[in-house]
Amino acid sequence: MLDQPGHAPIANIKGLRVEFQTKDGPVVGVEDVSFEVNQGETVCIVGESGSGKSVSSLSLMRLVEFGGGEIAGGRLIFDRKDADPVDLADTDQELMRTIRGNEIGMIFQEPMTALNPVFTVGKQLTEGVRLHKGLSKSAAEARALELMKQVRIPEPERRLKQYPHELSGGMRQRVVIAMALACEPRLLIADEPTTALDVTIQAEILALMDRLKRETGTAVMFITHDMAVVAQMADRVVVMFRGNKVEEGPVAEIFENPQHAYTKSLLAAVPKLGEMTGTEYPEPMKLMGRTQKSIAPIPGTTEPLLKVEGLTTRFPVRGGFFRRLVANVHAVEDVSFTINKGQTLSLVGESGCGKSSAGRSILRLVEPQAGHIMLGDMDVMALNDRDLREARRDMQMIFQDPFASLNPQMQLADQVAEPMNNFGMFKGDEGRKRVEMLFDRVELPRSFMRRYPHELSGGQRQRVAIARALALNPKLIIADEAVSALDVSVQAQVLNLMMELQADMGLSFLFISHDMAVVERVSHHVGVMYLGRIVELGPRARVFENPQHPYTQALMKAVPIADPRKRKAEKDLNFKPIPSPIHPVDYDPAPSEYDEVEPGHFVLTTDSGY
């Protein structure tokens, strides 16, 4: 800790109150919040969506006014480097422009919207240092290159000339971090900076931020709803609930001895990697303050429902004047697996590994180049359009973003009833009763049936999407990152709901995710994907407790664990950059070959490039 006794904290928030004006009168975003951030310290602010965490950070930057909010009370004391401390709550915008970016840096949640699509990465990185530090063009470019190296971006000289859309999500987020650090701010505010990232990239970015904090002595205010990230990063934790601070303390104290009921329920809802060790089957989580049906572990059956063999999906890359086929993206390459009735197979891996493409190929939402897909005794690949439409009664999909998959102009009851109307099932009174039953099943009040999607929270919208997927009594549900955008307590409730439905109705799931702790909780079998191939496949207990492929081992090592005593060091993370999945038209990959290392546990022997 760099802070000396007697030094003023870098940021001191006292009694902050923020209000938003709406048609129905003022809404309080933050009611009465006080905390401080010291030099060289990371303070994590945790809570669910709507708890006021982001509003607190936007108030410090005085950006909350641009979003319709106003600071209605409280003081925001900021200790400037070469000037007297100021109260940011009533500083004029001219001085705020000097402080923003120069003395307080901010990393936003969505890197694509934080970067300007029409300027190169180099232009955007040099802009801040030239404006605030008055550097010459060449000095600013040298600083930009140094920052790119600091955030470990490969081939930094080339990347500076590229545009944001040419970089992956993890790279873009690193550029945003480099921009926030460009002027060596005294305070760095990071608002959910790793929410949209894979575990491997998240682990690298957390280690990077921790190292930069130690090297530069910057104070960090880190906003997140991921308790595993808090355990990895925080010195102190502030827990927020409905616009108020309910608990604050050192990170070990909060995890080992939480006092407030909300903090306890937040920690109980976190799936922890390793807590399923020694159990053979999935079982719902025990959540506090909720009456739950006691469900025994879910064994499922040994009767196959879905058999996939040699599934290959490629996307054409066209170029040149005549838009000729110049290469192919090998998204899914010779993938085979079986899902039994009443069981869950999870596909895990990083973005771009082909897991979503595999899910969409099974439903033929994208057309595979090759392979066999058998659902029971039906050959999905041989169906014409009319028969495929009929077959989709048995196969439904839950998408990652429920807002995008629901119609904003239809009431929720009509959206859940729509699949039944399309297939002429459950008509009239029977249909209405079935919609009511589905709302009951996903634990939504029947009064919600008349609402529209924008009136619901993210977790409630995802429940509507699940109810709609269940409307036709499907045998198989493909859940594509169905809980990755949800808060931890909502995520736990939705996962428990999916497992209850599986136990009651014998549903089979293909569960696509990059969250290893969630996958460990819900799966019977796990397939680990890398560059379009399954590199390891087997019963969940064997893959998690005895990972054989080097990529699986690296993935397990990267997962942050919600325990401050088990922090990951940067030296433990040894990721290789992922090679490109784009190959020339005449490229002919070797077929996937596997070794059976234990009964039912297969590891790829073909060179996967890892």
Side-chain angles (χ1 to χ4, degrees):
M1 191 76 100
L2 302 172
D3 195 35
Q4 307 301 316
H7 274 213
I10 284 182
N12 191 352
I13 295 175
K14 297 180 176 177
L16 174 67
R17 180 183 178 86
V18 181
E19 293 178 358
F20 292 85
Q21 298 303 325
T22 69
K23 288 200 292 279
D24 304 326
V27 170
V28 178
V30 173
E31 202 169 331
D32 177 13
V33 169
S34 306
F35 61 89
E36 53 191 45
V37 188
N38 297 309
Q39 192 175 353
E41 177 182 52
T42 300
V43 174
C44 277
I45 300 175
V46 299
E48 294 176 38
S49 312
S51 63
K53 353 181 256 301
S54 293
V55 173
S56 306
S57 69
L58 291 170
S59 302
L60 256 180
M61 291 287 271
R62 285 286 296 285
L63 293 172
V64 75
E65 290 132 69
F66 299 100
E70 64 167 315
I71 297 172
R75 302 180 69 205
L76 306 168
I77 310 296
F78 177 61
D79 184 35
R80 298 187 66 192
K81 195 173 189 176
D82 303 317
D84 293 335
V86 291
D87 182 357
L88 300 179
D90 54 18
T91 302
D92 64 40
Q93 286 292 352
E94 194 59 41
L95 178 58
M96 279 312 301
R97 261 197 290 276
T98 310
I99 290 175
R100 251 186 241 129
N102 191 16
E103 298 178 46
I104 304 179
M106 183 144 185
I107 304 166
F108 293 94
Q109 181 168 358
E110 179 43 75
M112 200 59 206
T113 51
L115 294 170
N116 189 327
V118 301
F119 291 122
T120 62
V121 167
K123 174 97 173 72
Q124 296 186 58
L125 265 173
T126 53
E127 185 182 30
V129 286
R130 292 191 70 181
L131 179 74
H132 290 302
K133 300 288 188 207
L135 297 184
S136 69
K137 190 170 181 218
S138 57
E141 283 169 359
R143 173 77 179 132
L145 189 61
E146 180 192 328
L147 284 162
M148 295 285 269
K149 287 176 178 161
Q150 212 176 7
V151 296
R152 305 253 170 104
I153 288 184
E155 305 175 78
E157 292 87 351
R158 197 174 117 236
R159 302 285 180 217
L160 285 170
K161 297 187 181 76
Q162 289 183 311
Y163 289 87
H165 71 269
E166 297 179 85
L167 306 182
S168 70
M171 292 250 200
R172 287 199 288 261
Q173 195 60 293
R174 287 171 199 221
V175 170
V176 172
I177 291 175
M179 283 168 68
L181 294 167
C183 297
E184 297 173 337
R186 284 173 69 66
L187 174 66
L188 182 63
I189 301 173
D191 187 0
E192 303 267 15
T194 59
T195 300
L197 303 180
D198 298 315
V199 292
T200 47
I201 298 164
Q202 170 176 291
E204 289 181 343
I205 284 183
L206 294 180
L208 161 79
M209 288 179 66
D210 205 44
R211 174 167 59 83
L212 295 175
K213 178 195 78 172
R214 286 197 309 276
E215 288 171 4
T216 59
T218 303
V220 180
M221 185 170 146
F222 199 104
I223 296 160
T224 182
H225 65 249
D226 187 332
M227 296 306 281
V229 169
V230 174
Q232 177 73 17
M233 295 292 289
D235 297 310
R236 272 188 309 120
V237 180
V238 173
V239 183
M240 287 188 67
F241 180 59
R242 293 188 182 159
N244 285 296
K245 177 178 87 174
V246 294
E247 190 162 353
E248 179 181 3
V251 62
E253 193 73 15
I254 293 283
F255 274 82
E256 285 161 26
N257 190 17
Q259 297 298 310
H260 194 276
Y262 175 69
T263 315
K264 289 176 184 170
S265 66
L266 202 60
L267 288 166
V270 180
K272 296 177 188 66
L273 193 68
E275 67 183 351
M276 296 292 285
T277 303
T279 59
E280 195 176 348
Y281 301 122
E283 47 190 275
M285 299 172 71
K286 293 173 180 54
L287 299 180
M288 295 177 60
R290 286 178 68 83
T291 51
Q292 280 171 283
K293 290 195 293 186
S294 57
I295 293 188
I298 305 159
T301 68
T302 53
E303 185 188 344
L305 171 71
L306 178 78
K307 278 188 171 172
V308 176
E309 284 176 17
L311 184 66
T312 300
T313 302
R314 295 175 188 162
F315 299 110
V317 179
R318 298 186 183 278
F321 188 65
F322 294 109
R323 310 282 300 137
R324 283 203 184 97
L325 181 67
V326 291
N328 283 306
V329 179
H330 290 243
V332 182
E333 197 58 61
D334 196 12
V335 161
S336 305
F337 56 81
T338 301
I339 302 180
N340 293 335
K341 286 184 180 169
Q343 290 199 342
T344 299
L345 170 84
S346 291
L347 289 181
V348 296
E350 298 174 70
S351 320
C353 72
K355 51 190 192 301
S356 291
S357 296
R360 285 162 187 257
S361 300
I362 289 164
L363 285 174
R364 279 180 57 194
L365 294 174
V366 296
E367 281 294 336
Q369 262 65 38
H372 293 283
I373 303 168
M374 297 294 294
L375 186 74
D377 49 13
M378 179 171 55
D379 183 351
V380 176
M381 292 294 284
L383 300 175
N384 61 26
D385 286 351
R386 198 182 77 236
D387 293 341
L388 179 61
R389 183 175 181 272
E390 281 296 313
R392 287 197 182 131
R393 282 163 55 163
D394 292 332
M395 310 183 284
Q396 288 290 314
M397 189 151 186
I398 303 169
F399 295 94
Q400 178 168 0
D401 181 355
F403 199 64
S405 64
L406 293 172
N407 184 332
Q409 297 172 316
M410 278 173 78
Q411 288 188 348
L412 298 174
D414 296 335
Q415 304 211 38
V416 172
E418 191 177 25
M420 302 189 287
N421 298 338
N422 286 348
F423 285 98
M425 296 165 67
F426 309 110
K427 291 180 178 147
D429 204 36
E430 190 190 359
R432 191 179 49 82
K433 284 191 175 135
R434 182 161 176 81
V435 172
E436 288 174 354
M437 182 276 290
L438 288 164
F439 270 76
D440 295 345
R441 284 274 16 182
V442 297
E443 295 181 13
L444 284 175
R446 290 186 181 181
S447 60
F448 277 34
M449 288 165 61
R450 290 184 300 281
R451 290 195 181 185
Y452 291 88
H454 70 270
E455 299 179 84
L456 272 59
S457 72
Q460 290 168 336
R461 285 199 284 261
Q462 199 56 293
R463 285 165 190 257
V464 174
I466 292 172
R468 187 178 56 183
L470 293 171
L472 299 173
N473 273 338
K475 297 172 183 164
L476 172 71
I477 290 185
I478 297 175
D480 186 1
E481 300 273 13
V483 294
S484 61
L486 304 181
D487 289 322
V488 43
S489 50
V490 180
Q491 170 183 288
Q493 291 164 23
V494 171
L495 290 173
N496 279 5
L497 168 68
M498 288 165 77
M499 287 187 265
E500 278 173 29
L501 294 168
Q502 184 170 49
D504 292 354
M505 301 162 74
L507 285 173
S508 301
F509 284 101
L510 175 64
F511 192 85
I512 296 165
S513 177
H514 63 251
D515 187 329
M516 301 297 275
V518 166
V519 164
E520 187 187 32
R521 171 59 68 176
V522 302
S523 312
H524 295 83
H525 291 85
V526 175
V528 180
M529 283 190 78
Y530 177 75
L531 266 190
R533 292 185 195 260
I534 290 184
V535 295
E536 188 157 354
L537 178 69
R540 185 262 307 154
R542 302 318 317 138
V543 173
F544 273 78
E545 291 166 35
N546 185 21
Q548 294 290 309
H549 195 276
Y551 178 68
T552 315
Q553 293 165 351
L555 208 54
M556 298 289 187
K557 225 180 225 171
V559 180
I561 297 172
D563 182 343
R565 291 186 303 253
K566 295 181 182 167
R567 291 194 169 181
K568 307 271 185 245
E570 201 169 10
K571 63 178 189 302
D572 298 340
L573 306 170
N574 53 342
F575 291 109
K576 303 175 181 175
I578 298 182
S580 169
I582 299 174
H583 296 287
V585 180
D586 56 3
Y587 173 75
D588 188 21
S592 301
E593 291 176 6
Y594 295 88
D595 273 344
E596 190 168 7
V597 289
E598 304 173 271
H601 184 180
F602 298 93
V603 178
L604 185 73
T605 50
T606 315
D607 178 29
S608 61
Y610 194 83

